[in-house]
């Protein structure tokens, strides 16, 4: 991580970074230019906007009642098999209208934005039938077009096996019906989908079904970015490396061979410290992955099971529970998360030519963003996307910087 003191940054009207470097050099370079807005960041820190590489933000029906069950000792799979978990949310999401889903989704994205996220990966996956999956993807598309926050859209129709179907039947339905329709809507420009995701897990989609769906998604031009090795070792990491996956999420139960394969294939590991924390699972082996040269990214896994909007809290958990350093956690929530979404050429760092997505925090030390657990409400001073101030926090004006 490069740390520049006494620096300035210039974003052009096209939303891209034009210069970053010592303030006096930039002052001379742009002495003739006029600026729409100048922000004095004396005593403050400028950071790249945070990138949340894994979320499930479109759904109806929260699962607050299940939180109590989990605290009393029920496992994720016990709740799932009793018709709770994903199935509970699917039932509510199928009933909700597109407008209802959009209204709550919009509010969730705004909360993510205020916590410093400027680009968010958003999955479908609470439909499990073509009609509802498309409804969710249309909701994501609407936000992509109407909101400032950046969105990477993921089709996750294979999030669970729908009631009344076997995994093989669900796989056939996705390959024969869902993906051709998605291809058609992509070509007509109605819906932009970036990634394909499958929940590769014992009792959900096995390795062979996962392979078939991911390959079919890759064939219509989607990046592979899937859930693997979460509750049981499934050899998901090995499969992902073989298929040329861009990223694999979870990996709590990944094998040593899987880690080596991901490093070789330059396949990113999207680690989700909230999930292991919430479900009291064993933590993903972040240190081993980093030592083996895997590109490690972070996500909030925001969903009804892990209700967390805040990448600063995710970074804090990554440092404490997964033993990452603060530098590693910041890189994982910026440039590496951008890489996991196939956007590291335009996002994730403060470099000339990249999109002007940044945070200004009310502290002379950037580490405060991680050190303060849940303190981002009074620490993030500005959130800027494409050079435009999309959130300004008045609280920071009345508080001296930390």
């Amino acid at each position: 991580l490069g740390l520049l003191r006494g620096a300035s940054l210039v974003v052009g009207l096209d939303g891209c970074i034009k210069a970053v470097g010592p303030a006096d050099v930039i002052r001379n370079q742009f002495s003739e230019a006029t600026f729409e807005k100048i922000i004095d960041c004396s005593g403050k820190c400028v950071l790249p906007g945070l990138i949340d590489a894994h979320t499930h933000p479109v759904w109806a029906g929260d699962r607050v009642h299940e939180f109590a069950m989990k605290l009393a000792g029920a496992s994720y799979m016990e709740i799932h098999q009793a018709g709770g978990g994903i199935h509970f949310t699917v039932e509510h999401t199928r009933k909700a209208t597109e407008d209802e889903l959009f209204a709550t989704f919009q509010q969730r994205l705004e909360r993510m934005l205020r916590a410093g996220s400027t680009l968010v990966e958003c999955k479908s996956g609470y439909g499990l039938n073509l009609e509802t999956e498309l409804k969710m993807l249309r909701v994501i598309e609407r936000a992509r077009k109407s909101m400032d926050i950046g969105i990477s859209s993921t089709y996750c129709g294979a999030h669970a096996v729908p009631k009344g179907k076997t995994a093989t039947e669900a796989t056939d339905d996705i390959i024969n019906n869902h993906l051709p329709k998605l291809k058609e809507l992509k070509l007509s420009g109605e819906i932009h989908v970036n990634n394909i995701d499958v929940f590769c897990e014992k009792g959900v989609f096995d390795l062979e079904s996962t392979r078939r769906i991911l390959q079919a998604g890759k064939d219509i031009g989607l990046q592979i970015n899937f859930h693997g090795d979460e509750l049981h070792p499934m050899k998901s990491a090995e499969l992902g490396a073989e298929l040329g996956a861009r990223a694999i999420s979870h990996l709590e139960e990944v094998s040593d061979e899987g880690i080596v394969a991901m490093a070789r294939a330059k396949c990113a590991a999207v680690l989700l410290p909230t999930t292991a924390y919430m479900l009291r699972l064993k933590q993903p082996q972040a240190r081993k992955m980093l030592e083996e040269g895997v590109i490690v990214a972070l996500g909030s896994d925001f969903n009804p099971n892990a209700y967390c909007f805040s990448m600063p809290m995710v970074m804090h958990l990554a440092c404490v529970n997964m033993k990452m350093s603060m530098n590693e956690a910041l890189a994982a929530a910026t440039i590496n998360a951008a890489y996991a979404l196939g956007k590291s050429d335009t996002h994730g760092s403060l470099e000339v030519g990249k999109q002007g997505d940044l945070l200004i925090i009310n502290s002379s030390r950037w580490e405060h963003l991680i050190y303060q657990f849940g303190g981002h409400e009074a620490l993030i001073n500005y959130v800027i996307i494409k050079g435009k101030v999309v959130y300004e926090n008045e609280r920071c004006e009345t508080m001296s910087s930390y």
Side-chain angles (χ1 to χ4, degrees):
L1 292 177
L3 189 63
L4 281 178
R5 296 205 180 281
S8 277
L9 182 138
V10 177
V11 183
L13 291 174
D14 62 355
C16 295
I17 297 173
K18 299 299 164 197
V20 56
D24 45 358
V25 174
I26 286 182
R27 207 170 287 124
N28 290 336
Q29 192 186 337
F30 289 87
S31 57
E32 303 299 305
T34 53
F35 290 94
E36 270 187 14
K37 191 170 179 72
I38 294 175
I39 300 175
D40 178 5
C41 299
S42 312
K44 296 179 182 181
C45 251
V46 182
L47 291 164
L50 303 177
I51 299 175
D52 190 340
H54 183 123
T55 80
H56 302 259
V58 181
W59 45 267
D62 69 38
R63 307 212 296 256
V64 66
H65 59 287
E66 285 180 13
F67 188 46
M69 290 159 73
K70 284 187 204 108
L71 297 180
S75 78
Y76 178 86
M77 272 311 189
E78 281 164 3
I79 291 171
H80 187 72
Q81 275 145 8
I86 292 171
H87 295 302
F88 176 87
T89 305
V90 167
E91 213 175 299
H92 286 74
T93 306
R94 283 180 179 176
K95 285 180 197 152
T97 67
E98 202 173 305
D99 286 344
E100 285 166 345
L101 289 174
F102 180 72
T104 51
F105 176 42
Q106 200 176 8
Q107 289 173 338
R108 289 165 192 160
L109 286 175
E110 280 163 3
R111 286 179 70 179
M112 289 174 178
L113 184 78
R114 293 198 294 272
S117 292
T118 53
L119 172 62
V120 181
E121 184 266 1
C122 300
K123 301 176 193 295
S124 72
Y126 293 118
L128 310 186
N129 60 23
L130 181 56
E131 180 199 351
T132 317
E133 287 296 313
L134 290 178
K135 177 170 71 176
M136 294 181 75
L137 290 170
R138 278 197 300 270
V139 165
I140 294 169
E141 181 65 13
R142 234 167 107 179
R144 200 181 70 78
K145 287 200 171 111
S146 65
M147 295 181 73
D148 294 306
I149 197 165
I151 287 177
S152 176
S153 168
T154 302
Y155 163 73
C156 186
H159 195 199
V161 178
K163 286 179 180 170
K165 278 200 166 95
T166 65
T168 308
E169 288 166 345
T171 301
D172 291 340
D173 183 36
I174 286 166
I175 292 170
N176 301 328
N177 300 315
H178 291 212
L179 291 174
K181 185 67 184 164
L182 219 53
K183 183 182 180 179
E184 184 192 313
L185 293 169
K186 254 174 75 94
L187 287 172
S188 71
E190 266 178 78
I191 293 180
H192 290 76
V193 183
N194 305 96
N195 318 288
I196 184 156
D197 190 350
V198 174
F199 188 13
C200 181
E201 184 54 70
K202 193 173 161 185
V204 191
F205 289 92
D206 65 10
L207 211 60
E208 199 38 51
S209 299
T210 300
R211 175 195 296 277
R212 287 179 58 207
I213 295 168
L214 293 177
Q215 187 59 55
K218 190 180 180 178
D219 293 343
I220 65 163
L222 299 174
Q223 296 184 113
I224 296 176
N225 186 334
F226 71 112
H227 290 63
D229 298 328
E230 178 184 355
L231 306 169
H232 299 93
M234 298 283 294
K235 295 207 185 311
S236 304
E238 292 89 326
L239 174 70
E242 181 199 324
L243 292 178
R246 171 49 62 161
I248 306 172
S249 291
H250 282 293
L251 301 164
E252 288 85 353
E253 297 289 341
V254 70
S255 69
D256 292 350
E257 297 75 24
I259 291 176
V260 171
M262 285 179 71
R264 279 207 195 111
K266 296 195 165 34
C267 170
V270 180
L271 304 185
L272 309 167
T274 50
T275 317
Y277 165 75
M278 270 280 319
L279 296 174
R280 298 169 176 156
L281 302 173
K282 119 181 154 195
Q283 294 285 337
Q285 305 178 65
R287 284 262 52 89
K288 188 174 174 64
M289 290 178 195
L290 289 162
E291 278 149 23
E292 294 285 352
V294 175
I295 297 160
V296 173
L298 289 170
S300 68
D301 196 15
F302 172 80
N303 76 76
N305 170 58
Y307 206 104
C308 174
F309 292 109
S310 163
M311 286 305 290
M313 289 176 87
V314 168
M315 290 189 287
H316 179 102
L317 288 172
C319 293
V320 174
N321 289 340
M322 299 196 312
K323 303 182 169 57
M324 289 173 76
S325 72
M326 287 191 282
N327 283 13
E328 286 165 345
L330 183 64
T334 53
I335 192 66
N336 291 1
Y339 177 87
L341 301 177
K343 289 183 181 284
S344 51
D345 51 344
T346 50
H347 293 70
S349 57
L350 304 179
E351 295 178 75
V352 172
K354 284 199 174 182
Q355 193 167 299
D357 293 0
L358 36 135
L359 307 182
I360 298 169
I361 65 165
N362 194 24
S363 170
S364 55
R365 297 200 52 168
W366 69 267
E367 292 92 343
H368 268 276
L369 194 59
I370 298 178
Y371 163 64
Q372 294 186 23
F373 190 45
H376 57 266
E377 289 90 347
L379 185 62
I380 294 174
N381 198 166
Y382 294 89
V383 179
I384 294 166
I385 295 179
K386 292 186 182 169
K388 174 181 156 193
V389 174
V390 292
Y391 171 60
E392 185 174 350
N393 187 348
E394 275 77 41
R395 275 185 217 174
C396 293
E397 304 316 316
T398 57
M399 301 173 73
S400 58
S401 96
Y402 299 96

